[in-house]
């Protein structure tokens, strides 16, 4: 997906109504108060060497940087949300609102903005060393987000 396509996807999700229950449609997971969409997903790394993994991670971080810069031109400098405390709460059996409950397991940081009653966060994650990298966007009601 090109940067323009990523921005179009973000705009569409920002305007889309939230469903009453969790659903998955293609690369988008939605639920009460949120949408999460993969903007790019790498191959997995079951037999990959460390140089290939590092190169892919650099590519994803560069794409994230370009996306953050483009969104910052629209909405100003982002806030950064460290998801580590949410992961610690989840591990302790404490409640964490969706979609942060799922994101905290593989996305360490989200760069986010509040826009017209919603929050928009973008980040890069990898569930485990062998799993793919994911560049994603999360959109939620302000009450659900951590920004």
């Amino acid at each position: 997906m090109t940067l323009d396509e990523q921005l179009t996807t973000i705009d569409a999700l920002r305007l889309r109504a939230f469903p009453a229950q969790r659903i998955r449609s293609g690369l988008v997971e939605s639920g009460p108060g949120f949408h999460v969409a993969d903007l790019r997903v790498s191959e997995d790394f079951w037999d990959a060497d460390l140089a290939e993994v590092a190169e892919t991670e650099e590519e994803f971080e560069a794409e994230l940087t370009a996306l953050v810069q483009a969104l910052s031109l629209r909405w100003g400098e982002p806030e950064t949300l460290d998801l580590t405390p949410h992961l610690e709460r989840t591990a302790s059996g404490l409640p964490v609102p969706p979609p942060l409950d799922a994101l905290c397991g593989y996305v360490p940081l989200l760069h986010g903005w509040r826009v017209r009653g919603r929050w928009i966060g973008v980040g890069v994650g990898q569930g485990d060393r062998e799993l793919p990298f994911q560049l994603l966007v999360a959109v939620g009601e302000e009450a659900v987000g951590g920004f």
Side-chain angles (χ1 to χ4, degrees):
M1 201 182 285
T2 67
L3 179 60
D4 285 340
E5 291 169 328
Q6 292 170 352
L7 294 171
T8 299
T9 297
I10 291 168
D11 289 338
L13 289 174
R14 192 170 57 83
L15 300 174
R16 184 186 291 182
F18 299 118
Q21 58 187 333
R22 275 195 151 159
I23 58 170
R24 185 156 191 81
S25 174
L27 298 176
V28 180
E29 180 181 355
S30 299
F34 75 91
H35 303 295
V36 176
D38 289 325
L39 300 174
R40 181 175 174 212
V41 179
S42 74
E43 298 296 320
D44 62 36
F45 298 101
W46 292 104
D47 296 320
D49 64 44
L50 294 178
E52 181 182 348
V53 174
E55 182 179 318
T56 303
E57 183 176 19
E58 285 180 26
E59 288 174 20
F60 272 72
E61 289 295 338
E63 267 193 66
L64 175 61
T65 298
L67 185 57
V68 168
Q69 288 172 346
L71 293 172
S72 294
L73 289 174
R74 292 177 171 189
W75 301 320
E77 287 302 308
E79 296 178 54
T80 302
L81 178 62
D82 181 354
L83 294 179
T84 304
H86 298 288
L87 181 60
E88 291 168 354
R89 287 181 59 83
T90 299
S92 298
L94 298 171
V96 174
L100 301 179
D101 59 346
L103 293 175
C104 69
Y106 65 102
V107 179
L109 294 172
L110 283 177
H111 304 276
W113 301 262
R114 288 187 188 101
V115 181
R116 295 185 187 107
R118 293 196 172 182
W119 61 267
I120 297 93
V122 294
V124 169
Q126 183 184 27
D128 202 354
R129 184 177 205 130
E130 297 84 13
L131 296 177
F133 284 98
Q134 296 171 257
L135 173 63
L136 60 84
V137 59
V139 176
E141 294 175 335
E142 270 196 86
V144 175
F147 294 103

